[in-house]
Amino acid sequence: EARRHIAGEIRRVLRPGGHCFFWDLLRANDFAGGDALVAEEIFERLEPVWDRTTLVRGFRARDFGREEEAPTHRAVLLRR
């Protein structure tokens, strides 16, 4: 809910044609519900123009219930 509130404020002050950079875990931490974090849902009405997933050092795939290495974070550049 906090992410959506912050995203709403960013969207409110972002000029038309302006950009916002989003970088976060692919999933919320367990204590925050473990839900998938989807930039397109959090930042409604903003268009993704660049998108990358990455494995961040210091995070282990087993932290996410998998044994193999897997992406942990997502970076998205969005445009209003």
Side-chain angles (χ1 to χ4, degrees), residues 26-66:
L26 291 174
R27 299 186 92 48
N29 293 322
D30 289 340
F31 68 83
D35 298 334
L37 300 175
V38 181
E40 296 83 358
E41 292 175 7
I42 296 169
F43 290 93
E44 298 171 6
R45 298 185 301 272
L46 295 185
E47 172 193 8
V49 294
W50 180 85
D51 191 337
R52 292 284 189 277
T53 56
T54 184
L55 174 66
V56 175
R57 291 174 194 246
F59 283 82
R60 297 180 309 274
R62 67 174 168 245
D63 293 338
F64 298 92
R66 297 184 297 267

Side-chain angles (χ1 to χ4, degrees), residues 20-23 39-40 48-52 74-78:
C20 170
F21 182 76
F22 171 84
W23 184 77
E40 296 83 358
V49 294
W50 180 85
D51 191 337
R52 292 284 189 277
R74 184 175 179 210
V76 184
L77 183 65
L78 302 127

Side-chain angles (χ1 to χ4, degrees), residues 7-28:
E9 287 299 301
I10 291 169
R11 189 177 52 247
R12 182 179 68 78
V13 300
L14 194 63
R15 294 179 180 177
H19 290 84
C20 170
F21 182 76
F22 171 84
W23 184 77
D24 208 338
L25 292 165
L26 291 174
R27 299 186 92 48

